[in-house]
Amino acid sequence: MKEIKVAPSILSADFSNLCHELRLCEKGGADIIHLDVMDGHFVPNITFGPVVIKSIRKCTKIPFDAHLMIERPDKYVKDFVKAGADIITVHREVKVDIGDVLRKARNYGVEVGLAINPDTPFEKAKEFMEELDYLLIMSVYPGFAGQSFIREVLSKIEEARKYVDSEGLDVKIAVDGGIKHSNYRDVVKAGADIIVAASAIFGGDVVKNIREFKRGK
Ligand code: DX5
Ligand code: ZN
């Protein structure tokens, strides 16, 4: 099995002890910290914003990916970069000029990702693929941790993998939502480079869970 990168989502972490949780992620060998930013409009939940990201930035050097589940990423990209995000991921489904947001983020010196919901076909991401560092394929409807993996998404991961390889693109494919030790192999086999997991990592022994994912277990 190829080497897979692991991105713990702090959504299921203990928010009263985030620095400690991030140090456990470091110990486990996490590659990216996934930050689920929700605005209560694009998704039916509210989480945290730049203020929290700025304060946890000092806890670790692991790159931060701000997964922006917000209606107006165009308004806030700069704030998230200033707070310490290394990757800005925006949703394809928002009604703003996506190309413009991606360019804006890149001009601030960060990497960029595009997220697609389970019912958004890969086709809709194609026009942006040349500009991306990451494609984030959602395997649950965004909003909450702990939901069940939607298996129909596996064929979309395969489709994206084939496209990236055949076009020779340098886009990493990340998959987010419902990933457990039980379905992880299917996700990797379908073509993921990076897996994102909240409950499967923070719901138990964080260090052990990350290590097992990294070992392909
Ligand atoms: C869902 C978030 C995911 C979520 C994953 O809206 O984007 O990153 O935290 O949680 P699990 O791994 O528990 O499905
Ligand atoms: Zn996420």
Side-chain angles (χ1 to χ4, degrees), residues 9 34 36 67 69 136 138 176 196:
S9 154
H34 183 91
D36 285 311
H67 175 195
M69 289 161 274
L136 182 67
M138 296 304 301
D176 182 9
V196 179

Side-chain angles (χ1 to χ4, degrees), residues 4-9 21-33 62 181 184 195 197 200-202 205-217:
I4 197 84
K5 291 201 186 315
V6 177
S9 154
E21 298 278 52
L22 289 174
R23 293 202 179 106
L24 293 178
C25 290
E26 261 181 8
K27 201 170 165 196
D31 298 281
I32 293 169
I33 300 298
I62 304 176
H181 294 283
Y184 161 85
I195 58 135
I201 289 177
F202 292 101
D205 183 332
V206 176
V207 176
K208 182 166 167 266
N209 287 334
I210 296 171
R211 284 185 182 156
E212 283 188 1
F213 275 134
K214 288 197 66 105
R215 277 194 223 116
K217 280 195 186 170

Side-chain angles (χ1 to χ4, degrees), residues 79-137:
D79 293 342
F80 285 100
V81 173
K82 271 169 64 185
D86 302 281
I87 306 162
I88 296 284
T89 298
V90 297
H91 264 268
R92 177 65 182 88
E93 299 82 11
V94 295
K95 292 174 183 57
V96 302
D97 184 338
I98 307 276
D100 192 53
V101 179
L102 295 174
R103 276 188 295 277
K104 206 185 254 177
R106 202 179 273 297
N107 285 340
Y108 289 129
V110 297
E111 293 193 305
V112 296
L114 185 68
I116 50 174
N117 278 344
D119 57 359
T120 300
F122 170 62
E123 196 63 34
K124 294 255 183 203
K126 269 189 187 162
E127 63 177 300
F128 300 104
M129 289 299 279
E130 300 264 347
E131 300 168 55
L132 300 178
D133 298 293
Y134 302 89
L135 175 71
L136 182 67
I137 299 180

